[in-house]
């Protein structure tokens, strides 16, 4: 063996067992039984520790949506972003790839793949983002699926969508026919436009009113439409960053009828409520949809525990604090997104697994196995099994750390959780058999990452 992880409690969605993991050529080749390392091999003593599959974060932004526009420039690229991922136990990231100006979704993939090949420290896949459902872009969907990019992403939150619903439904039909899945941003553009007008007329444009600019009914209406689109086209559909109990209920309602609709949530909706916008620098918490109520937080935790929420993804979209607080932006257009790649899994482990709120098997399901299945990466990614890539996390349940975004791997100089005490961090993160992170120090180097060419979507 090149690497043996000995004595850990290995967890998959099916259960847990104390078993040695033998790795050769980056792949798990043996679970349990006699094994030894050859010359240059390494053994890790995981006795008394939990070993989970490396996290699969299906939703990150490590390339700018509009290249060259300073108003749309994330703090991280594939290098700092994937370093943060590894420090937080995530070994595969799914990047949202936006087309260049006047380019197609095929150009988006080519451009972002070049970036990732040069900079990424861990494995990645790429979601083509369909900003314009033009003939040219629709013609790209099938060849992209055949090349292993088996998803499309689009937004109901832009007016463009409502003018071209027919073409977007065609995109969903093509995606379905090629075994793919649609990722849908569910907020209703017209409702939000109306809310922004009302706020402006009432002089309520202070950032504290951000949640009123994008209220829960805009999320519910758009989610119901997504369920209807999935029902009509048969295209498996994945609601990104679902934030509210009512939107979750809309998805559950569809699922009861057998509609292939899946739910992602993200950490800010598990750990923060809209009360944060009452803080002086509340703009730093802005994401879309906005933070909601405690009852929504409770519903999402219950969904993670009992299966109505399928995945937890970061939607890592980092800004510098001064950019978030830029007074040029108000409640109607705050900069959206936060850094979360290093904090996502440890905070779920801390607030979920160690408290007993979710089982460690559910932790594995929502952070690794489910996203791997939905996006065509399973069983190469998302589980610990003979033949799977050796992407592993050995947890240190005793390590406590106070979050301080300024000193973490993301180049964002703050975290929305600054000051939170989090216990339970990855001790070792292993990517394809390489120990690439140990005790908070990332040792993996850029250029080692590989594009994961995906197979078809799998139902879960
Ligand atoms: Zn996003």
């Amino acid at each position: 063996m090149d690497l043996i992880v000995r004595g850990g409690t290995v967890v998959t969605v099916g259960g847990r067992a104390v078993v040695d993991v033998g790795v050769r050529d980056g792949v798990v080749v043996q679970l349990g039984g006699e094994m030894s390392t050859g010359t240059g091999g390494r053994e890790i003593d995981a006795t008394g520790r939990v070993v989970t599959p490396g996290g699969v974060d299906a939703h990150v932004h490590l390339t700018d949506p509009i290249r060259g526009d300073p108003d749309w420039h994330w703090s991280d690229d594939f290098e700092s972003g994937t370093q943060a991922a590894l420090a937080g136990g995530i070994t595969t990231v799914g990047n949202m790839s936006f087309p260049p100006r006047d380019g197609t979704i095929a150009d988006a993939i080519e451009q972002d793949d070049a970036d990732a090949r040069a900079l990424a420290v861990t494995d990645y896949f790429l979601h083509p983002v369909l900003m314009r459902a033009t003939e040219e872009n629709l013609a790209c969907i099938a060849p992209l699926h055949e090349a292993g990019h088996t998803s499309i992403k689009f937004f109901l939150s832009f007016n463009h969508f409502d003018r071209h619903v027919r073409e977007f439904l065609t995109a969903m039909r093509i995606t379905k026919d090629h075994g793919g899945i649609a990722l849908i941003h569910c907020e209703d553009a017209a409702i939000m436009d109306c809310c922004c007008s009302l706020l402006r007329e009432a002089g309520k444009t202070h950032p504290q009113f951000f949640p009123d600019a994008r209220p829960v009914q805009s999320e519910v209406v758009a989610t119901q439409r997504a369920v209807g689109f999935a029902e009509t086209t048969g295209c498996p559909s994945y609601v990104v960053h679902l934030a509210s109990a009512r939107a979750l209920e809309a998805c559950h309602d569809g699922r009861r009828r057998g509609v292939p609709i899946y739910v992602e949530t993200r950490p800010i909706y598990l750990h923060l409520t809209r009360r944060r916008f009452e803080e002086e620098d509340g703009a730093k918490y802005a994401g879309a949809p906005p933070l909601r109520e405690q009852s929504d937080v409770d519903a999402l935790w219950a969904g993670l525990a009992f299966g109505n929420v399928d995945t937890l993804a970061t939607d890592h979209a980092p800004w510098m604090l001064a950019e978030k607080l830029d007074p040029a932006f108000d409640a109607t257009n705050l900069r959206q997104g936060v850094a979360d790649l290093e904090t996502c899994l440890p905070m779920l482990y801390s607030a979920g697994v160690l408290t007993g709120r979710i089982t460690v098997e559910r932790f594995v399901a929502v952070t690794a196995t489910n996203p791997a299945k939905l996006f065509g990466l399973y069983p190469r990614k998302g589980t610990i099994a003979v033949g799977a890539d050796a992407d592993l996390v050995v947890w240190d349940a005793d390590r406590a750390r106070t979050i301080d975004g300024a000193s973490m791997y993301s180049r964002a100089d703050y975290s929305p959780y600054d000051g939170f005490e989090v216990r339970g961090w990855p001790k070792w993160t292993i990517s394809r058999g390489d120990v690439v992170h140990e005790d908070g120090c990332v040792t993996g180097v850029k250029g080692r990452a590989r594009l994961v060419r995906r197979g078809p979507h799998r139902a879960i």
Side-chain angles (χ1 to χ4, degrees), residues 313-338:
T314 60
D315 195 8
H316 184 91
W319 300 94
M320 304 302 277
L321 184 59
E323 292 172 325
K324 287 289 270 194
L325 303 181
D326 184 340
F329 296 84
D330 66 21
T332 65
N333 62 0
L334 283 184
R335 284 179 158 143
Q336 298 152 15
V338 300

Side-chain angles (χ1 to χ4, degrees), residues 52 64 69 105 198 257 260 299 407-409 413 428:
T52 60
D64 292 345
D69 181 342
I105 53 174
L198 289 167
R257 297 194 305 279
S407 68
M408 299 177 95
Y409 274 99
D413 54 354
W428 291 285

Side-chain angles (χ1 to χ4, degrees), residues 19-71:
V19 69
D20 296 345
V21 182
V23 177
R24 200 165 50 227
D25 298 327
V27 173
V28 174
V29 292
Q30 190 177 331
L31 289 170
E34 290 289 310
M35 58 181 92
S36 60
T37 49
T39 31
R42 179 171 177 184
E43 293 209 9
I44 282 180
D45 181 5
T47 308
R49 301 184 188 281
V50 162
V51 182
T52 60
V56 177
D57 181 353
H59 187 168
V60 305
H61 295 268
L62 299 178
T63 48
D64 292 345
I66 306 172
R67 294 197 179 212
D69 181 342
D71 277 344

Side-chain angles (χ1 to χ4, degrees), residues 93-133:
V93 294
N95 187 66
M96 298 300 162
S97 292
F98 289 77
R101 238 181 269 274
D102 304 321
T104 65
I105 53 174
D107 299 327
I109 296 303
E110 194 181 315
Q111 170 180 273
D112 283 10
D113 187 32
D115 268 27
R117 230 178 303 143
L119 295 174
V121 183
T122 198
D123 294 353
Y124 60 94
F125 57 104
L126 304 169
H127 300 289
V129 178
L130 196 60
M131 293 300 285
R132 297 277 178 266

Side-chain angles (χ1 to χ4, degrees), residues 3 5 7-19 21 23 28 31 44 46 48-56 85-92 344-346 348-350 353-354 358-369 380-385 388-397 424-433 437:
L3 175 73
V5 179
T9 301
V10 172
V11 184
T12 64
V13 287
R16 56 190 100 170
V18 175
V19 69
V21 182
V23 177
V28 174
L31 289 170
I44 282 180
R49 301 184 188 281
V50 162
V51 182
T52 60
V56 177
L86 290 175
I90 290 165
T91 51
T92 308
C344 177
L345 267 54
L348 184 68
Y349 201 83
S350 181
V353 176
L354 294 180
I358 63 169
T359 63
V360 69
E361 287 83 1
R362 279 298 296 164
F363 175 92
V364 168
V366 300
T367 64
T369 314
R380 182 172 160 198
K381 302 288 189 191
T383 191
I384 302 174
D389 282 356
D391 295 347
L392 307 166
V393 180
V394 182
W395 288 85
D396 181 348
W425 289 84
K427 181 163 180 65
W428 291 285
T429 309
I430 297 160
S431 161
R432 273 185 286 105
H437 157 261

